[in-house]
Amino acid sequence: LELARIFRTRVPPAEADTEENGRPQLVGRDLHKTLVLVSTSGGSGGAAGARAWAREQDAGGIDGVLVLGDLASVSWHKPWVVPWSNGGAAPPHGWRRTVEAAVRVEVGAHPGGARASAQWARRALPLTVSEQGEVNGAGLAGVLLQASGERGPDPRERISPESLQNFGRAALRALTALDGAGRADASG
């Protein structure tokens, strides 16, 4: 919800008197690309919601998908950035590394990664238990950002406002980088 607040571009009706020159004032950050925030159901039921959404999308019109999982756990389990697919497609290394770099900056620690043998096995037998697998399987470039690793948190896991803030900032940093990618004037 905080990402929606940060990136909103329309003045809410309660703030309608803030129009300038007959146009709504931009409230949040200006984006150069379209940002779509999607909330799905069925994460614990085989990622049915993510699968249904991903299958309806045109992969040519989507630069990257950031699946937000558990961002607030007290207990962290690496890797925090999960790229695995339930199909042959995997996200571009650049997108995964962009999210990993954002995590390093905002969380202050390396996000971890799979060993070479695990990477080989995942490429040979593409299977994952998290929603980015369905996104990647549909041909979209998706990575999962989750403090509790690929499997997710224990149902009794305590939450940490500090973790939520740090991982949330990492998500914001990654989306901002994706928005600026490929622009000639992205440095400014």
Side-chain angles (χ1 to χ4, degrees):
L1 292 175
E2 184 66 9
L3 288 172
R5 187 192 66 76
I6 289 170
F7 288 115
R8 69 183 175 155
T9 56
R10 302 218 190 280
V11 175
E15 301 172 19
D17 62 335
T18 60
E19 289 189 15
E20 295 177 10
N21 302 326
R23 296 184 343 195
Q25 176 185 351
L26 293 176
V27 178
R29 293 185 178 187
D30 288 335
L31 294 172
H32 303 287
K33 297 180 181 178
T34 301
L35 173 68
V36 178
L37 301 174
V38 178
S39 177
T40 63
S41 62
S44 60
R51 181 174 40 256
W53 174 81
R55 288 181 178 171
E56 293 175 1
Q57 304 310 305
D58 173 18
I62 297 178
D63 292 335
V65 177
L66 182 59
V67 177
L68 299 178
D70 158 40
L71 304 181
S73 282
V74 171
S75 302
W76 294 350
H77 304 282
K78 294 180 180 183
W80 298 327
V81 179
V82 181
W84 308 121
S85 176
N86 281 342
H93 290 293
W95 177 223
R96 186 188 84 216
R97 291 185 199 273
T98 296
V99 178
E100 289 172 344
V103 169
R104 274 192 302 278
V105 169
E106 298 299 339
V107 177
H110 191 278
R115 295 188 172 147
S117 58
Q119 290 180 31
W120 181 85
R122 292 291 182 119
R123 299 273 185 213
L125 301 167
L127 178 65
T128 185
V129 296
S130 44
E131 292 176 318
Q132 91 291 340
E134 295 299 333
V135 170
N136 287 323
L140 306 175
V143 297
L144 169 69
L145 176 58
Q146 182 157 264
S148 52
E150 183 176 8
R151 293 187 192 158
D154 182 279
R156 297 173 304 268
E157 179 68 44
R158 293 182 316 124
I159 62 168
S160 162
E162 182 180 358
S163 290
L164 180 59
Q165 183 176 26
N166 292 341
F167 280 97
R169 285 183 178 165
L172 177 59
R173 182 177 288 274
L175 291 174
T176 301
L178 182 63
D179 183 53
R183 294 186 51 237
D185 61 340
S187 63

